[in-house]
Amino acid sequence: MADVRTQKEEDATQAVRQVFDQIAFRYDFLNDLFSGFIHHHWMRVLVREEPCSVETKVLDVCTGTADVAIAIARHNSKARIVGLDISEKMLSLAKAKIARLKLEDRIELCWGDGLAMPLADQSVDVVFNSFGLRNQGDYKKALTEMARVLKFQGRINILEFTRPANIVIRSVYLFYLTRIMPVVSRFFLKERASFDYLSRTIKHFPAPDVVAQLMRDCGFAQVCVKPLTGGIACLYRATRVPADGGQGPRGAQGKSCYHEDRSR
């Protein structure tokens, strides 16, 4: 693991840790609030299409309160799961949740920075990152780090908020995000800055085609993009390949496949 970070990156990491330590006790509720409770459906879509065998080691980056890790454990009893997060308070809540569900033997929790993870090169078979990439500051470095720990031909699954392409849906969603949610959040968050940070990361996260290209630049191929619920969120799936592409001509990594989820 190469842990070489600038002071700016260290400061950004510390700021993110503080935000999530502050909102940890409300995190699950905030996920419901931001997504309009639809993120439970998105999480099922994220998990259900990823097969895991008895030897599969799964890494859930930015695991938060471990909802995705728990969903993976329930979906596939054979997977071995590591949940990593930078917020100790988040991990404390995750640990209690996992114990309550008696999944301690299935899910291991690990404190760590997603930009410099305490895992060996090519040590996991599948990576999940649910609503975490936009909080990692340096998207390319975060993707490169996930590529580093992922075995060749391993799979990555990213779920993230985005701005809908449809102008009507986008207008409604941005009105909800910038006008309604700030009012509602005042009742639940002591620190307004925490909400401002979360809202800002959604509004400024790159468009799906930009994210797909970043993934290809960082060592992934067969990138598939699936907009969810009118494009409020997107699911990105890809396969880890060697630096030379490992699949014939460079063009094999070219365009992204595009599937729209119409179930909700």
Side-chain angles (χ1 to χ4, degrees):
M1 176 190 68
D3 188 4
V4 180
R5 287 173 286 183
T6 65
Q7 185 59 48
K8 183 178 180 179
E9 288 172 334
E10 291 284 1
D11 292 344
T13 296
Q14 179 63 23
V16 171
R17 182 188 299 126
Q18 290 177 348
V19 166
F20 283 93
D21 279 345
Q22 289 171 353
I23 68 171
F25 73 108
R26 288 286 188 186
Y27 181 74
D28 289 340
F29 170 78
L30 288 172
N31 270 343
D32 290 338
L33 185 66
F34 270 85
S35 70
F37 297 89
I38 304 173
H39 77 99
H40 299 286
H41 164 68
W42 298 341
M43 188 167 57
R44 288 193 295 271
V45 175
L46 174 71
V47 170
R48 72 187 179 196
E49 297 176 7
E50 185 57 63
C52 297
S53 69
V54 68
E55 297 298 328
T56 301
K57 184 172 182 180
V58 178
L59 172 64
D60 181 27
V61 183
C62 304
T63 194
T65 57
D67 276 353
V68 170
I70 290 167
I72 297 166
R74 286 172 164 172
H75 178 70
N76 196 312
S77 61
K78 298 176 181 179
R80 296 172 295 136
I81 306 155
V82 175
L84 179 141
D85 204 278
I86 200 169
S87 167
E88 292 180 353
K89 290 188 177 181
M90 286 283 204
L91 289 174
S92 178
L93 291 170
K95 182 178 180 180
K97 188 185 294 185
I98 290 167
R100 189 165 61 249
L101 296 171
K102 304 187 186 307
L103 291 171
E104 302 101 312
D105 61 331
R106 303 282 318 288
I107 303 172
E108 174 189 352
L109 295 175
C110 173
W111 182 89
D113 182 357
L115 298 181
M117 294 186 282
L119 282 83
D121 294 359
Q122 299 183 49
S123 57
V124 300
D125 301 289
V126 182
V127 170
F128 285 85
N129 187 321
S130 177
F131 302 120
L133 181 59
R134 74 179 193 280
N135 297 308
Q136 292 184 260
D138 188 332
Y139 308 134
K140 189 168 185 177
K141 188 169 184 177
L143 288 166
T144 300
E145 183 68 355
M146 286 185 276
R148 179 186 67 79
V149 303
L150 191 57
K151 296 176 183 177
F152 293 136
Q153 299 305 315
R155 298 171 304 280
I156 187 170
N157 305 269
I158 296 173
L159 178 62
E160 193 51 86
F161 286 113
T162 190
R163 296 181 303 282
N166 181 287
I167 189 170
V168 175
I169 298 176
R170 183 169 68 246
S171 298
V172 172
Y173 181 64
L174 289 179
F175 179 81
Y176 173 73
L177 187 66
T178 59
R179 298 297 181 87
I180 297 176
M181 284 182 57
V183 175
V184 175
S185 69
R186 290 180 190 142
F187 294 98
F188 304 105
L189 291 177
K190 294 180 180 179
E191 297 289 339
R192 174 62 188 271
S194 297
F195 170 81
D196 290 341
Y197 168 82
L198 294 171
S199 177
R200 186 169 64 251
T201 59
I202 294 174
K203 287 187 288 186
H204 294 286
F205 191 69
D209 59 330
V210 176
V211 176
Q213 184 58 52
L214 277 173
M215 294 177 74
R216 288 192 290 272
D217 292 344
C218 294
F220 296 101
Q222 301 170 352
V223 180
C224 287
V225 180
K226 177 184 281 189
L228 303 171
T229 316
I232 293 173
C234 262
L235 173 58
Y236 306 86
R237 297 189 192 275
T239 301
R240 174 73 168 102
V241 294
D244 62 1
Q247 297 181 351
R250 182 69 177 175
Q253 296 188 58
K255 293 184 178 180
S256 306
C257 65
Y258 184 95
H259 302 290
E260 186 167 0
D261 177 63
R262 298 180 181 276
S263 59
R264 186 169 301 182

